[in-house]
Amino acid sequence: MSSSQVGDRPSTAAEREGRVLDRIDEFRKRRPRLLESVVTLAHGAGGKSSAALVDSVFVESFRNPELEQLGDAAVLPLPSGERLAFSTDSYVVQPLRFPGGSIGNLAVHGTVNDLAVSGARPQWLSAAFVIEEGFEISALREIVADMRDSGQAAGIEIVTGDTKVVGKGAADGMYICTAGVGVIPAGRALSPDRVQPGDHVVVSGTIGEHGMAVMLARGELAIEADIASDTAPVNSLVEALLEAAPSTRWMRDATRGGVGTVCNELAQVSGLAVILDEQSLPVQPQVLGACDMLGIDPLYVANEGKFIAIVPSAESGAAIDALRGQPGGAQAAVIGEVMAEPEGIVALRTAFGGSRIVDMLVGDPLPRIC
Amino acid sequence: MSSSQVGDRPSTAAEREGRVLDRIDEFRKRRPRLLESVVTLAHGAGGKSSAALVDSVFVESFRNPELEQLGDAAVLPLPSGERLAFSTDSYVVQPLRFPGGSIGNLAVHGTVNDLAVSGARPQWLSAAFVIEEGFEISALREIVADMRDSGQAAGIEIVTGDTKVVGKGAADGMYICTAGVGVIPAGRALSPDRVQPGDHVVVSGTIGEHGMAVMLARGELAIEADIASDTAPVNSLVEALLEAAPSTRWMRDATRGGVGTVCNELAQVSGLAVILDEQSLPVQPQVLGACDMLGIDPLYVANEGKFIAIVPSAESGAAIDALRGQPGGAQAAVIGEVMAEPEGIVALRTAFGGSRIVDMLVGDPLPRIC
């Protein structure tokens, strides 16, 4: 695991703070560097290596203000003054079908959610398929039906697409790439720059189901557990939250790399600290059990229907009430707070009173989960 | 080849018409049906099988007015009254680099061109990468640099993206999926419904280079020829044409399936006939030679920097002059005309005075060319 164990036993606040401060230089706000000469699975895992690849290869070459925001979606200003959000993701999950959903559901939810947490109302999706020769048409129809159902549930339309076919052995059955466009209502301005010390960290529900469901569905682990992916659209939850907590600062869906990675990205970009409270983290017992057996921290496990929102403390009660009143939001919780220091750091107050640094994900403990 | 040889020797107009009419029932406006139970390479070739798959699986399931237009891009109406074009394509070309370009150039040009021929001014692109584990970072940097250069030449910005990594043996090195958004200027209304008998068929330049360049680059054929892909953005050509020929009815870029497939799609959708003139088709001699040796009709070979425009005859002279005045448009030509009958049919008047039906592409003579 990539988190540094600072202390799991009770200790004084001063001791804990000392231990955390000792590690600041190590983890201080700086983007990782690309050291490898070939692409590795870790470069696709959403953690430290991914960030290094994106910074060093893509942002470096394409340079423009929209891309450099590195948000879930780019904001496109139109001549009329309207603002659109625009986002894309490829889906390469294995297996294609898992408890709770399929690559088709993911391909819609993932892009819808990227738009929603950018403050946009998702409206239109494109869908591009790369299909392996010999793939069953009946299986394709089922995946397409999942996309249709997910699209209807999210209130979006799939308006344009593309199909490519590659030879046997390539594409693991199929890959799907979706892009989405949404309209950002006037007055919405979500940005990590708006986050302030004292703000609360809100999660929209239990964490870690998606990644664990996919891992177990591969059947390579000698673990059986009743875990279903949480794959779902979050746009209704986001609308409810923004209505109840209009000063919400920033949101992000906690997909690859999980809640730990999202909080690290916020800490790095804002230069603030994010202090999470282990006892407040909503995790299903069976997810916690499977994570324990595999030595995986649920903070790094991907979700596909959960997001993190940074909300001023005065509005966090209303935010939680609003989320809990929506389907999929019953387990919403305040899981931590933003502090001024230690700058650029994410730490977890453990159930035993200790604290540990939650670093960015290193390596790829859960490959190909979306 | 999929074209039916009706006659290559001189014959009277009545004889020719009789032969064409005999085949109308066979080819009359009807969309092909999906007969296979598994996906084949032909389903990705852009011809008859692709149309069957798209109709039977995707359109059938996703049903909405934008998608059913089956245009190169969907038109998105915004609350402000502005209209956007939105398009996507995946790129799976093999090899990744070929004379005249790379998968990076294609991934930008292909989506830019889909937007441009829809009447939009391309502005923003997303780029999603699926990369095989072990791919050289240096090769990735070169492809990304090609994307940057193509983006600059086309005047667009790559504003959002995604990276996934898959295991060794998958993804043939890399696949790229781009989506694009452009703004459609007020008053532009390009549609196959506007096409009328008597309109001229304009091509923006020589045909067949891209497909043949990629085929030869694979080194599997005992043919050497100096053929480079035509991969290029066409948005400046489109703007010049629309300024010179403001009543232009409809446009499409002639990618997978080539000019023959584009004309068939027009004939089927409009219920009109498209009569092409073999002697007017601009084809480089080395492309014609390679096609002859391989028994491939250049009408079905993919282009990545050429488009077809249907222009009222009164404006076609101005259209050609405007295209020829632009970089990449020197070989623009009128290559045929639209007629009322035979309904739904594309025919080619051969150099010898005969004529033959140009059917939709069947099978995939040139797999993985984009």
Side-chain angles (χ1 to χ4, degrees), chain A:
Chain A
M1 282 312 307
S2 59
S3 56
S4 304
Q5 301 295 331
V6 175
D8 281 345
R9 284 160 306 157
S11 57
T12 67
E15 277 178 324
R16 290 199 299 272
E17 195 174 334
R19 288 178 197 148
V20 168
L21 289 170
D22 284 345
R23 277 169 170 75
I24 291 189
D25 283 337
E26 216 170 310
F27 298 106
R28 192 177 288 273
K29 187 176 173 183
R30 56 162 185 245
R31 298 284 290 181
R33 278 169 300 178
L34 183 66
L35 302 171
E36 300 83 358
S37 67
V38 300
V39 173
T40 67
L41 285 174
H43 286 123
K48 212 167 212 173
S49 299
S50 294
L53 184 75
V54 168
D55 273 12
S56 164
V57 177
F58 300 114
V59 176
E60 183 64 28
S61 188
F62 296 150
R63 295 227 88 84
N64 59 65
E66 290 86 358
L67 185 65
E68 282 167 46
Q69 300 271 333
L70 287 178
D72 274 322
V75 176
L76 312 181
L78 294 179
S80 62
E82 269 186 302
R83 292 174 306 152
L84 298 180
F86 180 36
S87 184
T88 191
D89 264 323
S90 281
Y91 300 86
V92 301
V93 65
Q94 284 293 310
L96 298 179
R97 197 164 280 288
F98 43 80
S102 75
I103 190 172
N105 302 118
L106 282 192
V108 171
H109 298 152
T111 297
V112 161
N113 294 350
D114 281 343
L115 295 173
V117 297
S118 303
R121 294 192 174 129
Q123 291 196 237
W124 301 283
L125 249 60
S126 64
F129 298 81
V130 175
I131 309 175
E132 183 177 342
E133 189 184 6
F135 194 79
E136 293 281 341
I137 299 271
S138 58
L140 177 61
R141 283 189 197 281
E142 288 169 10
I143 286 165
V144 168
D146 289 340
M147 296 182 74
R148 177 200 59 210
D149 295 345
S150 286
Q152 285 174 352
I156 59 90
E157 284 190 335
I158 298 171
V159 292
T160 189
D162 179 50
T163 313
K164 293 291 191 304
V165 181
V166 295
K168 277 191 195 295
D172 303 303
M174 70 185 314
Y175 304 145
I176 303 176
C177 180
T178 53
V181 175
V183 177
I184 304 176
R188 283 195 188 166
L190 298 162
S191 161
D193 301 340
R194 301 179 61 234
V195 173
Q196 294 170 26
D199 287 347
H200 283 179
V201 181
V202 168
V203 68
S204 64
T206 52
I207 65 172
E209 291 111 87
H210 176 72
M212 293 316 295
V214 171
M215 282 302 283
L216 299 186
R218 290 190 192 145
E220 296 162 3
L221 308 168
I223 298 176
E224 283 189 27
D226 184 23
I227 301 174
S229 167
D230 64 334
T231 185
V234 301
N235 46 339
S236 297
L237 286 166
V238 164
E239 290 295 324
L241 180 137
L242 290 179
E243 196 178 322
S247 305
T248 294
R249 318 293 195 191
W250 180 80
M251 294 184 284
R252 181 159 286 190
D253 54 339
T255 55
R256 275 186 298 180
V259 169
T261 300
V262 168
C263 291
N264 264 283
E265 288 172 353
L266 174 62
Q268 289 186 355
V269 170
S270 67
L272 299 170
V274 177
I275 311 300
L276 301 175
D277 179 7
E278 190 171 40
Q279 286 185 287
S280 308
L281 287 175
V283 192
Q284 295 176 357
Q286 64 272 37
V287 170
L288 205 54
C291 283
D292 273 354
M293 289 176 72
L294 295 170
I296 290 175
D297 187 334
L299 277 175
Y300 295 109
V301 179
N303 310 278
E304 290 292 343
K306 302 295 158 50
F307 63 96
I308 294 292
I310 307 298
V311 180
S313 59
E315 293 183 0
S316 73
I320 295 296
D321 288 346
L323 289 171
R324 289 186 179 167
Q326 291 287 318
Q331 306 294 319
V334 173
I335 60 170
E337 64 181 318
V338 176
M339 296 178 69
E341 294 184 323
E343 215 178 294
I345 293 295
V346 180
L348 182 77
R349 291 190 192 113
T350 67
F352 303 100
S355 75
R356 60 178 170 92
I357 299 283
V358 178
D359 191 13
M360 275 190 86
L361 183 65
V362 173
D364 189 1
L366 299 170
R368 306 285 298 282
I369 42 73
C370 62

Side-chain angles (χ1 to χ4, degrees), chain B residues 20-334:
Chain B
V20 167
L21 289 171
D22 284 344
R23 277 168 169 78
I24 291 188
D25 283 337
E26 217 170 310
F27 298 106
R28 191 178 288 273
K29 187 179 173 182
R30 54 161 187 246
R31 298 285 288 181
R33 279 169 301 177
L34 182 67
L35 301 171
E36 300 84 359
S37 66
V38 299
V39 173
T40 67
L41 284 175
H43 287 123
K48 212 168 213 172
S49 300
S50 293
L53 184 76
V54 168
D55 273 13
S56 163
V57 176
F58 301 113
V59 176
E60 184 64 27
S61 187
F62 296 150
R63 296 227 88 82
N64 60 65
E66 291 85 0
L67 185 65
E68 283 168 44
Q69 301 270 333
L70 288 177
D72 275 321
V75 176
L76 312 182
L78 294 179
S80 62
E82 267 187 302
R83 292 175 306 152
L84 299 179
F86 181 36
S87 185
T88 191
D89 264 324
S90 280
Y91 300 86
V92 300
V93 66
Q94 285 293 310
L96 297 178
R97 198 164 279 288
F98 43 81
S102 76
I103 189 171
N105 302 117
L106 281 191
V108 172
H109 297 152
T111 297
V112 162
N113 294 349
D114 281 343
L115 295 173
V117 297
S118 303
R121 294 189 175 131
Q123 289 195 238
W124 301 284
L125 249 60
S126 64
F129 298 82
V130 175
I131 309 176
E132 182 178 347
E133 189 184 5
F135 194 80
E136 294 280 342
I137 300 272
S138 58
L140 177 61
R141 283 189 197 280
E142 288 170 10
I143 286 166
V144 167
D146 289 340
M147 295 182 75
R148 177 201 58 211
D149 295 346
S150 286
Q152 285 174 351
I156 58 92
E157 283 189 336
I158 298 170
V159 292
T160 189
D162 179 51
T163 313
K164 294 291 190 306
V165 181
V166 294
K168 277 192 196 295
D172 302 303
M174 71 185 311
Y175 305 145
I176 303 176
C177 180
T178 52
V181 174
V183 177
I184 305 176
R188 282 196 187 166
L190 298 162
S191 162
D193 302 339
R194 301 179 61 234
V195 173
Q196 294 170 25
D199 286 347
H200 282 178
V201 180
V202 168
V203 69
S204 64
T206 52
I207 66 172
E209 291 112 88
H210 176 71
M212 293 316 294
V214 171
M215 283 301 284
L216 299 186
R218 290 191 193 146
E220 295 162 2
L221 306 168
I223 297 176
E224 284 190 25
D226 183 23
I227 300 174
S229 168
D230 64 333
T231 187
V234 301
N235 47 339
S236 297
L237 285 166
V238 164
E239 290 294 325
L241 179 136
L242 290 178
E243 195 178 323
S247 305
T248 294
R249 319 292 196 190
W250 181 79
M251 294 184 284
R252 181 160 285 190
D253 54 340
T255 54
R256 276 186 297 181
V259 169
T261 299
V262 168
C263 291
N264 263 284
E265 288 173 354
L266 174 62
Q268 287 185 357
V269 170
S270 67
L272 299 169
V274 177
I275 311 301
L276 301 174
D277 180 6
E278 190 170 40
Q279 285 185 286
S280 308
L281 288 174
V283 192
Q284 294 176 357
Q286 65 272 37
V287 170
L288 205 54
C291 283
D292 273 354
M293 289 177 72
L294 296 170
I296 290 174
D297 187 335
L299 277 175
Y300 295 109
V301 179
N303 309 279
E304 291 290 344
K306 303 294 158 51
F307 64 95
I308 293 292
I310 308 298
V311 180
S313 59
E315 292 183 0
S316 73
I320 296 295
D321 288 347
L323 289 172
R324 289 187 179 165
Q326 291 287 318
Q331 305 295 319
V334 174

